Coordinates of all heavy atoms in Angstrom, one line a residue:
M1 N 83.7 75.2 88.0 CA 82.4 75.6 88.2 C 82.2 76.2 89.6 O 82.9 75.7 90.6 CB 81.4 74.3 88.1 CG 81.4 73.7 86.8 SD 80.5 74.6 85.6 CE 79.1 73.5 85.5
K2 N 81.3 77.1 89.7 CA 81.0 77.7 91.0 C 79.5 77.5 91.3 O 78.7 77.6 90.3 CB 81.3 79.2 91.0 CG 82.7 79.6 91.2 CD 82.8 81.1 91.4 CE 84.1 81.6 91.0 NZ 84.1 83.1 90.9
Y3 N 79.1 77.3 92.5 CA 77.8 77.0 92.9 C 77.3 78.0 94.0 O 78.1 78.1 95.0 CB 77.6 75.6 93.4 CG 78.1 74.6 92.3 CD1 79.4 74.1 92.4 CD2 77.2 74.2 91.3 CE1 79.8 73.2 91.4 CE2 77.7 73.3 90.3 CZ 79.0 72.8 90.4 OH 79.4 71.9 89.4
A4 N 76.1 78.5 93.9 CA 75.6 79.4 95.0 C 74.1 79.1 95.2 O 73.4 79.0 94.2 CB 75.8 80.9 94.7
L5 N 73.7 78.9 96.4 CA 72.3 78.6 96.7 C 71.7 79.9 97.3 O 72.1 80.4 98.3 CB 72.2 77.5 97.8 CG 70.8 77.1 98.1 CD1 70.1 76.4 97.0 CD2 70.8 76.2 99.4
Y6 N 70.6 80.3 96.6 CA 69.8 81.5 97.1 C 68.7 80.9 97.9 O 68.0 80.0 97.5 CB 69.3 82.2 95.9 CG 70.3 83.0 95.1 CD1 71.3 82.3 94.5 CD2 70.4 84.4 95.2 CE1 72.4 83.0 93.8 CE2 71.4 85.0 94.5 CZ 72.4 84.3 93.9 OH 73.4 85.0 93.2
Y7 N 68.6 81.4 99.2 CA 67.7 80.7 100.1 C 67.3 81.7 101.2 O 67.9 82.8 101.3 CB 68.3 79.5 100.8 CG 69.3 79.9 101.8 CD1 69.0 79.8 103.2 CD2 70.6 80.4 101.5 CE1 69.9 80.2 104.2 CE2 71.5 80.8 102.5 CZ 71.1 80.7 103.8 OH 72.0 81.1 104.8
Y8 N 66.3 81.3 102.1 CA 66.2 82.0 103.4 C 65.7 80.9 104.4 O 65.2 79.9 104.0 CB 65.2 83.2 103.3 CG 63.8 83.0 102.9 CD1 62.8 82.5 103.7 CD2 63.4 83.4 101.6 CE1 61.5 82.3 103.3 CE2 62.1 83.3 101.2 CZ 61.2 82.7 102.1 OH 59.9 82.6 101.7
D9 N 66.0 81.3 105.7 CA 65.9 80.2 106.7 C 64.5 79.7 106.9 O 64.3 78.5 107.1 CB 66.4 80.8 108.0 CG 67.9 80.9 108.1 OD1 68.6 80.1 107.4 OD2 68.4 81.9 108.8
M10 N 63.4 80.5 106.8 CA 62.1 80.0 107.1 C 61.4 79.2 106.0 O 60.3 78.8 106.1 CB 61.2 81.2 107.4 CG 61.6 82.0 108.7 SD 61.6 80.9 110.1 CE 59.9 80.6 110.4
C11 N 62.1 79.0 104.9 CA 61.6 78.3 103.7 C 61.9 76.8 103.8 O 63.0 76.4 103.8 CB 62.2 78.9 102.5 SG 62.0 77.9 101.0
P12 N 60.8 76.0 104.0 CA 61.0 74.6 104.2 C 61.7 73.9 103.0 O 62.4 72.9 103.1 CB 59.6 74.0 104.4 CG 58.7 75.1 103.8 CD 59.4 76.4 103.9
F13 N 61.4 74.4 101.8 CA 62.1 73.8 100.6 C 63.6 74.1 100.6 O 64.4 73.3 100.2 CB 61.4 74.4 99.3 CG 60.0 74.1 99.2 CD1 59.1 75.1 99.6 CD2 59.5 72.9 98.9 CE1 57.7 74.9 99.6 CE2 58.1 72.6 98.9 CZ 57.2 73.6 99.2
C14 N 63.9 75.3 101.1 CA 65.3 75.7 101.2 C 66.0 74.7 102.3 O 67.1 74.3 102.1 CB 65.5 77.1 101.7 SG 64.8 78.3 100.6
Q15 N 65.3 74.4 103.3 CA 65.8 73.6 104.4 C 66.1 72.2 103.8 O 67.1 71.6 104.2 CB 64.9 73.5 105.6 CG 64.8 74.8 106.4 CD 66.1 75.2 107.0 OE1 66.9 74.4 107.3 NE2 66.3 76.5 107.0
R16 N 65.3 71.7 103.0 CA 65.6 70.4 102.3 C 66.9 70.4 101.6 O 67.7 69.5 101.7 CB 64.5 70.1 101.3 CG 63.2 69.6 101.8 CD 62.2 69.2 100.7 NE 62.7 68.1 99.9 CZ 62.3 67.9 98.6 NH1 61.4 68.6 98.1 NH2 62.8 66.9 98.0
V17 N 67.2 71.5 100.9 CA 68.4 71.6 100.1 C 69.6 71.8 101.1 O 70.6 71.1 101.0 CB 68.4 72.8 99.1 CG1 69.7 72.9 98.3 CG2 67.2 72.6 98.1
L18 N 69.4 72.7 102.1 CA 70.5 72.9 103.0 C 70.9 71.7 103.7 O 72.1 71.4 104.0 CB 70.1 74.0 104.0 CG 69.9 75.4 103.4 CD1 69.2 76.4 104.4 CD2 71.3 76.0 103.1
H19 N 69.9 70.8 104.1 CA 70.2 69.6 104.8 C 71.0 68.6 103.9 O 71.7 67.8 104.4 CB 68.9 68.9 105.3 CG 68.4 69.5 106.6 ND1 67.2 70.0 106.7 CD2 69.1 69.8 107.8 CE1 67.0 70.5 107.9 NE2 68.2 70.4 108.6
A20 N 70.8 68.7 102.6 CA 71.5 67.8 101.7 C 73.0 68.3 101.4 O 73.8 67.5 101.0 CB 70.8 67.7 100.4
L21 N 73.3 69.5 101.7 CA 74.6 70.1 101.3 C 75.8 69.3 101.9 O 76.8 69.2 101.2 CB 74.7 71.6 101.6 CG 73.8 72.5 100.7 CD1 74.1 73.9 101.0 CD2 74.1 72.2 99.2
P22 N 75.7 68.9 103.2 CA 76.9 68.3 103.7 C 77.3 67.0 103.0 O 78.4 66.5 103.0 CB 76.5 67.9 105.2 CG 75.4 68.9 105.5 CD 74.7 69.2 104.2
G23 N 76.3 66.4 102.2 CA 76.6 65.2 101.5 C 77.1 65.4 100.1 O 77.3 64.4 99.4
V24 N 77.2 66.7 99.6 CA 77.6 66.9 98.3 C 79.1 67.1 98.2 O 79.7 67.6 99.1 CB 76.8 68.0 97.6 CG1 75.3 67.8 97.8 CG2 77.3 69.4 97.9
K25 N 79.6 66.8 97.0 CA 81.1 66.8 96.9 C 81.7 68.2 96.5 O 82.9 68.5 96.7 CB 81.5 65.8 95.8 CG 81.2 64.4 96.1 CD 82.0 63.4 95.2 CE 81.7 62.0 95.5 NZ 80.6 61.4 94.6
V26 N 80.8 69.1 96.0 CA 81.3 70.4 95.6 C 81.0 71.5 96.7 O 80.1 71.2 97.6 CB 80.6 70.9 94.3 CG1 81.1 70.0 93.2 CG2 79.1 70.9 94.4
K27 N 81.7 72.6 96.7 CA 81.4 73.7 97.6 C 80.3 74.5 97.1 O 80.2 74.9 95.9 CB 82.7 74.5 97.7 CG 82.6 75.6 98.7 CD 84.0 76.3 98.9 CE 83.8 77.7 99.4 NZ 84.2 78.7 98.5
V28 N 79.3 74.7 97.9 CA 78.1 75.6 97.5 C 78.1 76.8 98.5 O 77.9 76.6 99.7 CB 76.8 74.8 97.6 CG1 75.6 75.6 97.2 CG2 76.9 73.5 96.8
E29 N 78.2 78.0 97.9 CA 78.1 79.2 98.7 C 76.6 79.4 99.0 O 75.8 79.3 98.2 CB 78.6 80.4 97.9 CG 78.7 81.7 98.6 CD 79.0 82.8 97.7 OE1 79.6 82.7 96.7 OE2 78.5 83.9 98.1
R30 N 76.4 79.8 100.3 CA 75.0 80.0 100.7 C 74.7 81.5 100.6 O 75.5 82.3 101.2 CB 74.8 79.6 102.2 CG 74.9 78.1 102.3 CD 75.1 77.7 103.8 NE 75.2 76.3 104.0 CZ 76.2 75.4 103.7 NH1 77.2 75.9 103.0 NH2 76.1 74.2 103.9
R31 N 73.7 81.9 99.9 CA 73.3 83.3 99.7 C 71.9 83.6 100.3 O 70.9 83.3 99.6 CB 73.4 83.7 98.3 CG 74.9 83.6 97.8 CD 75.0 84.2 96.4 NE 76.4 84.2 96.0 CZ 76.9 84.5 94.8 NH1 76.1 84.8 93.8 NH2 78.2 84.4 94.5
N32 N 71.9 84.1 101.5 CA 70.6 84.4 102.2 C 70.0 85.7 101.6 O 70.5 86.8 101.8 CB 70.9 84.5 103.7 CG 69.6 84.6 104.5 OD1 68.7 85.3 104.1 ND2 69.6 83.9 105.6
V33 N 68.9 85.5 100.9 CA 68.2 86.6 100.2 C 67.5 87.6 101.2 O 67.2 88.7 100.8 CB 67.3 86.2 99.1 CG1 68.0 85.4 98.1 CG2 66.1 85.4 99.7
M34 N 67.2 87.1 102.4 CA 66.6 88.0 103.4 C 67.6 88.9 104.0 O 67.4 90.1 104.2 CB 65.9 87.2 104.5 CG 64.7 86.5 104.0 SD 63.4 87.6 103.6 CE 62.0 86.5 103.3
Q35 N 68.8 88.3 104.3 CA 69.9 89.1 104.9 C 70.6 90.0 103.9 O 71.2 91.0 104.3 CB 70.9 88.2 105.6 CG 70.3 87.6 106.9 CD 71.3 86.6 107.4 OE1 72.3 86.3 106.9 NE2 70.9 86.0 108.6
N36 N 70.5 89.7 102.7 CA 71.2 90.4 101.6 C 70.3 90.7 100.4 O 70.3 89.9 99.5 CB 72.5 89.6 101.1 CG 73.4 89.3 102.2 OD1 74.2 90.2 102.6 ND2 73.4 88.1 102.8
P37 N 69.6 91.8 100.5 CA 68.7 92.1 99.4 C 69.3 92.2 98.0 O 68.6 92.0 97.0 CB 68.1 93.5 99.8 CG 68.4 93.7 101.3 CD 69.6 92.8 101.6
Q38 N 70.6 92.4 98.0 CA 71.2 92.5 96.6 C 71.2 91.1 96.0 O 71.2 91.0 94.8 CB 72.7 93.1 96.7 CG 73.7 92.2 97.3 CD 73.8 92.3 98.8 OE1 72.9 92.8 99.5 NE2 75.0 91.9 99.4
Y39 N 71.2 90.0 96.8 CA 71.1 88.7 96.2 C 69.8 88.5 95.5 O 69.6 87.9 94.5 CB 71.4 87.6 97.3 CG 72.8 87.5 97.7 CD1 73.0 87.1 99.1 CD2 73.9 87.8 96.9 CE1 74.3 87.0 99.5 CE2 75.2 87.7 97.4 CZ 75.4 87.3 98.7 OH 76.7 87.2 99.2
R40 N 68.7 88.9 96.3 CA 67.4 88.8 95.7 C 67.2 89.6 94.4 O 66.7 89.1 93.4 CB 66.3 89.3 96.8 CG 64.9 89.4 96.3 CD 64.0 89.8 97.4 NE 63.9 88.8 98.4 CZ 62.9 87.9 98.5 NH1 61.9 87.9 97.6 NH2 62.8 87.0 99.4
Q41 N 67.8 90.8 94.4 CA 67.7 91.7 93.3 C 68.5 91.0 92.1 O 68.0 91.0 90.9 CB 68.4 93.0 93.6 CG 67.9 94.2 93.0 CD 68.5 95.4 93.5 OE1 69.4 95.4 94.4 NE2 68.0 96.6 93.0
Q42 N 69.6 90.4 92.4 CA 70.4 89.8 91.3 C 69.7 88.6 90.7 O 69.6 88.5 89.5 CB 71.8 89.3 92.0 CG 72.7 88.6 91.0 CD 73.8 87.8 91.8 OE1 73.6 87.5 93.0 NE2 74.8 87.4 91.1
Q43 N 69.0 87.8 91.6 CA 68.3 86.7 91.1 C 67.1 87.1 90.3 O 66.8 86.6 89.2 CB 67.8 85.9 92.3 CG 66.9 84.7 92.0 CD 66.2 84.1 93.1 OE1 66.4 84.5 94.3 NE2 65.3 83.1 92.9
Q44 N 66.4 88.2 90.7 CA 65.2 88.7 90.0 C 65.7 89.2 88.6 O 65.0 89.0 87.6 CB 64.5 89.8 90.8 CG 63.4 90.4 90.0 CD 62.2 90.8 90.8 OE1 62.4 91.2 91.9 NE2 61.0 90.6 90.3
Q45 N 66.8 89.9 88.6 CA 67.2 90.5 87.3 C 67.6 89.4 86.3 O 67.3 89.5 85.1 CB 68.4 91.4 87.5 CG 68.0 92.8 87.9 CD 69.1 93.7 88.3 OE1 70.3 93.3 88.3 NE2 68.8 94.9 88.8
A46 N 68.2 88.3 86.8 CA 68.7 87.2 86.0 C 67.5 86.3 85.5 O 67.6 85.8 84.4 CB 69.7 86.4 86.7
T47 N 66.5 86.1 86.4 CA 65.5 85.1 86.1 C 64.1 85.6 86.0 O 63.2 84.8 85.6 CB 65.6 83.9 87.2 OG1 65.0 84.4 88.4 CG2 67.0 83.4 87.4
G48 N 63.9 86.8 86.5 CA 62.5 87.3 86.6 C 61.7 86.8 87.7 O 60.5 87.1 87.8
R49 N 62.3 86.0 88.6 CA 61.6 85.4 89.7 C 62.4 85.6 91.0 O 63.7 85.8 91.0 CB 61.5 83.9 89.5 CG 60.7 83.5 88.3 CD 60.7 82.0 88.1 NE 60.2 81.3 89.2 CZ 60.2 79.9 89.2 NH1 60.7 79.2 88.2 NH2 59.7 79.3 90.2
T50 N 61.7 85.5 92.1 CA 62.4 85.5 93.4 C 62.2 84.3 94.3 O 62.5 84.3 95.5 CB 62.0 86.8 94.2 OG1 60.6 86.8 94.4 CG2 62.4 88.1 93.6
T51 N 61.6 83.3 93.6 CA 61.4 82.0 94.3 C 62.7 81.4 94.8 O 63.7 81.4 94.1 CB 60.7 81.0 93.4 OG1 59.5 81.6 92.8 CG2 60.3 79.7 94.1
V52 N 62.6 80.9 96.1 CA 63.8 80.1 96.6 C 63.3 78.7 97.0 O 62.1 78.6 97.3 CB 64.4 80.8 97.8 CG1 65.1 82.1 97.4 CG2 63.3 81.2 98.9
P53 N 64.1 77.7 97.0 CA 65.6 77.8 96.7 C 65.8 77.9 95.2 O 65.0 77.5 94.4 CB 66.1 76.5 97.2 CG 64.9 75.5 97.0 CD 63.7 76.3 97.4
C54 N 67.0 78.5 94.9 CA 67.4 78.6 93.5 C 68.9 78.4 93.5 O 69.6 79.0 94.4 CB 67.0 80.0 93.0 SG 67.5 80.3 91.3
L55 N 69.4 77.6 92.6 CA 70.8 77.3 92.6 C 71.4 78.0 91.4 O 71.0 77.9 90.2 CB 71.1 75.8 92.4 CG 72.6 75.4 92.4 CD1 73.2 75.6 93.7 CD2 72.7 74.0 91.9
L56 N 72.5 78.8 91.6 CA 73.2 79.5 90.5 C 74.5 78.6 90.2 O 75.3 78.3 91.1 CB 73.6 80.9 90.9 CG 74.6 81.6 90.0 CD1 74.1 81.7 88.6 CD2 75.0 83.0 90.5
I57 N 74.6 78.2 88.9 CA 75.7 77.4 88.5 C 76.5 78.3 87.5 O 75.9 78.8 86.5 CB 75.2 76.2 87.8 CG1 74.3 75.4 88.7 CG2 76.4 75.3 87.3 CD1 73.4 74.4 87.9
E58 N 77.7 78.6 87.8 CA 78.5 79.5 87.0 C 79.7 78.7 86.4 O 80.5 78.1 87.2 CB 79.0 80.7 87.8 CG 79.5 81.8 87.0 CD 79.9 83.0 87.8 OE1 79.3 83.2 88.9 OE2 80.8 83.7 87.4
D59 N 79.9 78.6 85.1 CA 81.0 77.9 84.6 C 82.2 78.8 84.4 O 82.2 79.9 84.8 CB 80.6 77.2 83.3 CG 80.5 78.1 82.1 OD1 81.0 79.3 82.2 OD2 80.0 77.7 81.0
E60 N 83.3 78.2 84.0 CA 84.6 78.9 83.9 C 84.6 80.1 83.1 O 85.3 81.1 83.3 CB 85.7 77.9 83.4 CG 86.1 76.9 84.4 CD 85.1 75.7 84.6 OE1 84.2 75.7 83.7 OE2 85.3 74.9 85.5
S61 N 83.7 80.1 82.0 CA 83.6 81.3 81.2 C 82.7 82.4 81.7 O 82.5 83.4 81.1 CB 83.1 80.9 79.8 OG 81.7 80.5 79.9
G62 N 82.1 82.1 82.9 CA 81.2 83.1 83.5 C 79.7 82.9 83.1 O 78.9 83.6 83.5
K63 N 79.5 81.9 82.3 CA 78.1 81.6 81.9 C 77.3 81.1 83.1 O 77.7 80.2 83.8 CB 78.1 80.6 80.7 CG 76.7 80.2 80.2 CD 76.7 79.3 79.0 CE 75.4 78.7 78.7 NZ 75.0 77.6 79.6
E64 N 76.1 81.7 83.2 CA 75.3 81.4 84.4 C 74.1 80.5 84.0 O 73.4 80.7 83.0 CB 74.7 82.7 85.0 CG 75.7 83.6 85.6 CD 75.1 84.8 86.3 OE1 73.9 85.1 86.1 OE2 75.9 85.5 87.0
T65 N 73.8 79.5 84.8 CA 72.6 78.7 84.7 C 71.9 78.8 86.1 O 72.5 78.6 87.1 CB 72.9 77.2 84.4 OG1 73.7 77.2 83.2 CG2 71.7 76.4 84.2
W66 N 70.6 79.1 86.1 CA 69.8 79.2 87.3 C 68.9 78.0 87.4 O 68.1 77.8 86.4 CB 69.1 80.5 87.3 CG 70.0 81.7 87.4 CD1 70.6 82.3 86.3 CD2 70.3 82.5 88.5 NE1 71.3 83.4 86.7 CE2 71.1 83.6 88.1 CE3 69.9 82.5 89.9 CZ2 71.6 84.5 88.9 CZ3 70.4 83.5 90.7 CH2 71.3 84.5 90.3
M67 N 68.9 77.3 88.5 CA 68.0 76.1 88.6 C 67.0 76.3 89.8 O 67.4 76.7 90.9 CB 68.9 74.9 88.9 CG 68.1 73.6 89.0 SD 69.2 72.2 89.4 CE 70.1 72.0 87.9
Y68 N 65.8 76.0 89.5 CA 64.7 76.1 90.5 C 64.3 74.6 90.9 O 64.7 73.7 90.2 CB 63.5 76.9 90.0 CG 63.7 78.4 90.0 CD1 64.1 79.1 88.9 CD2 63.6 79.0 91.2 CE1 64.3 80.4 88.9 CE2 63.8 80.4 91.2 CZ 64.2 81.1 90.1 OH 64.4 82.5 90.1
E69 N 63.5 74.5 91.9 CA 62.9 73.3 92.4 C 63.9 72.5 93.3 O 64.9 72.0 92.8 CB 62.4 72.4 91.2 CG 61.2 72.9 90.5 CD 60.0 73.1 91.4 OE1 59.8 72.3 92.4 OE2 59.3 74.1 91.2
S70 N 63.5 72.5 94.6 CA 64.4 71.8 95.6 C 64.7 70.4 95.1 O 65.9 70.0 95.3 CB 63.7 71.8 96.9 OG 62.4 71.3 96.9
G71 N 63.8 69.7 94.6 CA 64.0 68.3 94.3 C 65.1 68.2 93.1 O 66.0 67.4 93.2
D72 N 64.9 69.1 92.1 CA 65.9 69.1 91.0 C 67.3 69.5 91.5 O 68.3 69.0 91.1 CB 65.4 70.0 89.9 CG 64.2 69.5 89.2 OD1 63.8 68.3 89.4 OD2 63.5 70.3 88.5
I73 N 67.3 70.5 92.4 CA 68.6 71.0 92.9 C 69.3 69.9 93.7 O 70.5 69.7 93.5 CB 68.4 72.3 93.8 CG1 67.8 73.4 92.9 CG2 69.7 72.7 94.5 CD1 67.3 74.6 93.7
I74 N 68.6 69.2 94.6 CA 69.2 68.1 95.4 C 69.7 67.0 94.4 O 70.8 66.5 94.6 CB 68.2 67.6 96.4 CG1 67.9 68.7 97.5 CG2 68.7 66.3 97.0 CD1 66.8 68.3 98.4
R75 N 68.9 66.6 93.5 CA 69.3 65.6 92.5 C 70.5 66.0 91.8 O 71.4 65.2 91.6 CB 68.1 65.3 91.5 CG 67.5 63.9 91.7 CD 66.6 63.6 90.5 NE 65.6 64.6 90.2 CZ 64.5 64.9 90.9 NH1 64.2 64.1 91.9 NH2 63.7 65.8 90.6
Y76 N 70.5 67.2 91.3 CA 71.7 67.7 90.5 C 73.0 67.7 91.4 O 74.0 67.1 91.0 CB 71.4 69.1 90.0 CG 72.6 69.8 89.4 CD1 73.0 69.4 88.1 CD2 73.3 70.7 90.1 CE1 74.1 70.0 87.6 CE2 74.4 71.3 89.5 CZ 74.8 71.0 88.3 OH 75.9 71.6 87.7
L77 N 72.9 68.3 92.6 CA 74.1 68.4 93.4 C 74.6 67.1 93.9 O 75.8 66.9 94.0 CB 73.8 69.3 94.6 CG 73.6 70.8 94.4 CD1 73.2 71.6 95.6 CD2 75.0 71.4 93.8
T78 N 73.7 66.2 94.2 CA 74.2 64.9 94.7 C 74.7 64.0 93.6 O 75.3 63.0 93.9 CB 73.1 64.1 95.5 OG1 71.9 64.0 94.7 CG2 72.7 64.9 96.8
S79 N 74.4 64.4 92.4 CA 74.9 63.6 91.2 C 76.3 64.0 90.8 O 77.0 63.4 90.0 CB 74.0 63.7 90.0 OG 74.2 65.0 89.4
L80 N 76.8 65.1 91.4 CA 78.2 65.6 91.0 C 79.3 64.8 91.6 O 79.1 64.3 92.7 CB 78.3 67.1 91.4 CG 77.3 68.1 90.7 CD1 77.4 69.4 91.3 CD2 77.6 68.1 89.2
Ligands
GSH1 N1 58.3 73.6 94.3 C1 59.3 74.6 94.8 C2 58.6 75.4 95.9 C3 59.4 76.7 96.2 C4 58.6 77.7 97.0 O1 57.4 77.6 97.1 N2 59.3 78.6 97.7 C5 58.7 79.7 98.4 C6 59.3 79.9 99.8 S1 59.0 78.5 100.9 C7 58.8 81.0 97.6 O2 59.9 81.4 97.3 N3 57.7 81.7 97.4 C8 57.7 83.0 96.7 C9 57.7 82.9 95.2 O3 57.5 81.8 94.6 O4 58.0 83.9 94.6 C10 60.5 73.8 95.4 O5 60.4 72.7 95.8 O6 61.6 74.4 95.4

């Protein structure tokens, strides 16, 4: 599995998730949507939304699952 967090620095909900990352067992790539407009575009194309934080979960076959809500993302990542 691959994990990527779509976020930007000034977003307090993103900060909640970012602060939880050191405690999670998997590697989560950080994708700053302000610094990299292509990340925002990719998220919008896939989900129809640009809300952050958003976690992209990609399985071995390339199947993508996009997860919203900081609380859900933290609960999911800390349960792995
Ligand atoms: N309930 C959501 C709130 C997320 C949220 O409001 N994010 C803001 C940035 S701080 C945002 O992306 N707003 C723009 C939008 O929803 O398109 C969470 O906890 O993740």
Side-chain angles (χ1 to χ4, degrees):
M1 298 283 252
K2 281 193 205 162
Y3 304 94
L5 180 71
Y6 289 68
Y7 78 99
Y8 59 80
D9 286 331
M10 295 304 289
C11 163
F13 303 99
C14 299
Q15 289 301 326
R16 282 183 64 199
V17 179
L18 289 167
H19 280 125
L21 288 187
V24 313
K25 295 195 182 97
V26 295
K27 185 172 154 245
V28 180
E29 184 188 335
R30 292 161 179 73
R31 295 188 176 172
N32 188 317
V33 299
M34 290 295 186
Q35 289 175 355
N36 298 281
Q38 74 271 21
Y39 289 149
R40 174 175 291 262
Q41 213 173 3
Q42 179 195 16
Q43 179 192 351
Q44 174 143 41
Q45 273 169 7
T47 72
R49 298 172 61 184
T50 56
T51 305
V52 288
C54 181
L55 181 70
L56 169 60
I57 305 160
E58 197 177 331
D59 75 11
E60 287 74 10
S61 70
K63 180 174 167 282
E64 294 183 348
T65 303
W66 296 78
M67 181 182 291
Y68 283 100
E69 291 301 324
S70 52
D72 291 346
I73 294 169
I74 292 169
R75 247 190 312 280
Y76 171 76
L77 287 173
T78 54
S79 74
L80 294 172

